[in-house]
Amino acid sequence: MTAARGVLLCPITMGLLLQSLFLLLILLGSCLHPAAAFPKGCYPSEEAGLKTFRCSNAQLTEVPRDIPNDTNKLYLDSNQIPFLPRDAFRDLPLLLELDLSHNAIARIESGAFQGLAEHLHSLDLSSNRLVSVSKDAFNNLKAKVNLSNNPWLCDCRLQELIRAVELAADSSGGIVCDSSPQEEHVGKAFLQVIAGTDFCNVYKKTTDIAMLVTMFGWFAMVISYLVYYVRQNQEDARRHLEYLKSLPSKQRRSEESSTISTVV
């Protein structure tokens, strides 16, 4: 009797064990699924109570899309990201720190940091390939920005950008002129250069001079045309008078009267 019960209980026990194992696998799968969706080399963590997402040295060539939207600190440093498209971080409303240093970023589209203005307080763009960036790319951004160690073109555009953002502490000395309209500025810190040169004022003066030259050119053309027109009319009038003189007296007087009345 006992043996019979053992035979009956064995399949039931095995069934329960298999069912439990199946449920456990489902639970493990659901827990591991978000991590499996992350790009290779990226992982979430928690640092000092802040939710962090690290993708350092992950060989990324673009900003990943599967970043948890409750991330507070995002590390995308030491990758090969070439540019930042519009709305690249729009799904990260709680982001406080963003590290994009040591990438290959050469272009930042307007609106790339859209949605980060309220909370972001640190943005690191150092050691990239930035040459020229419009100040509009940083519209309403209150974060302290590190722009050091980039091959900057020192001109009015960079001057406007520096005035539009708040530079991170001790980073201003690393903003160096890699190229400039004035050769003597190359290799110098930009803040040192603009202490004695207003690039935007120089540009404005150059533009004003170009406009004056253009206006003078048009004025000279108009004057030349008027002189030509007057001379041509004088020549026509002289020829007409000579023609009148060659006519018989009566006909000449009639023609002269007609000419005089026309002139009047």
Side-chain angles (χ1 to χ4, degrees):
M1 187 71 177
T2 304
R5 285 182 181 177
V7 172
L8 291 172
L9 288 174
C10 187
I12 296 174
T13 304
M14 289 296 294
L16 290 172
L17 285 173
L18 288 172
Q19 187 176 6
S20 300
L21 181 61
F22 180 71
L23 291 172
L24 182 61
L25 289 173
I26 291 175
L27 289 172
L28 285 173
S30 63
C31 291
L32 293 174
H33 179 71
F38 297 149
K40 184 180 179 181
C42 300
Y43 61 92
S45 63
E46 191 164 320
E47 300 176 5
L50 295 175
K51 293 187 177 181
T52 302
F53 194 75
R54 287 189 174 273
C55 288
S56 304
N57 284 298
Q59 299 183 350
L60 298 176
T61 56
E62 63 180 2
V63 177
R65 299 178 181 179
D66 301 313
I67 302 172
N69 57 16
D70 60 349
T71 298
N72 303 127
K73 299 171 70 175
L74 177 58
Y75 293 89
L76 298 174
D77 56 298
S78 304
N79 287 290
Q80 292 96 44
I81 300 172
F83 80 103
L84 301 179
R86 183 179 178 84
D87 295 325
F89 307 98
R90 66 177 178 179
D91 296 324
L92 303 172
L94 303 179
L95 197 62
L96 301 174
E97 297 181 19
L98 176 56
D99 189 349
L100 290 159
S101 64
H102 297 90
N103 272 281
I105 300 171
R107 181 166 58 93
I108 301 176
E109 291 186 356
S110 180
F113 304 111
Q114 190 169 324
L116 302 181
E118 294 299 321
H119 300 283
L120 193 70
H121 64 70
S122 176
L123 173 60
D124 194 345
L125 287 164
S126 63
S127 301
N128 276 283
R129 298 178 185 173
L130 296 172
V131 175
S132 183
V133 179
S134 171
K135 65 178 181 177
D136 296 336
F138 297 85
N139 269 351
N140 303 317
L141 204 63
K142 300 174 184 177
K144 293 182 179 179
V145 185
N146 188 342
L147 297 171
S148 62
N149 299 320
N150 281 281
W152 290 110
L153 166 64
C154 291
D155 60 359
C156 179
R157 204 177 193 200
L158 179 58
Q159 182 173 316
E160 289 180 338
L161 172 61
I162 297 299
R163 289 176 176 173
V165 301
E166 183 180 355
L167 296 177
D170 302 322
S171 69
S172 59
I175 303 174
V176 177
C177 300
D178 187 72
S179 58
S180 173
Q182 287 78 32
E183 192 66 29
E184 65 272 16
H185 298 150
V186 175
K188 295 181 180 179
F190 183 68
L191 292 189
Q192 175 189 347
V193 170
I194 61 173
T197 303
D198 188 339
F199 285 96
C200 295
N201 193 39
V202 169
Y203 174 78
K204 185 176 182 300
K205 285 181 179 178
T206 304
T207 304
D208 290 344
I209 291 171
M211 288 182 65
L212 286 172
V213 170
T214 303
M215 290 175 65
F216 179 79
W218 279 106
F219 183 73
M221 288 177 62
V222 171
I223 294 297
S224 299
Y225 176 76
L226 289 174
V227 170
Y228 170 79
Y229 180 79
V230 170
R231 286 181 177 177
Q232 187 67 29
N233 283 350
Q234 286 178 343
E235 183 67 22
D236 290 343
R238 185 183 64 79
R239 289 175 181 172
H240 188 63
L241 288 173
E242 288 179 354
Y243 167 74
L244 292 176
K245 289 178 182 178
S246 65
L247 294 175
S249 301
K250 189 174 181 181
Q251 185 178 358
R252 186 172 62 234
R253 287 194 194 113
S254 175
E255 291 282 349
E256 285 177 351
S257 299
S258 176
T259 300
I260 291 171
S261 63
T262 303
V263 171
V264 173

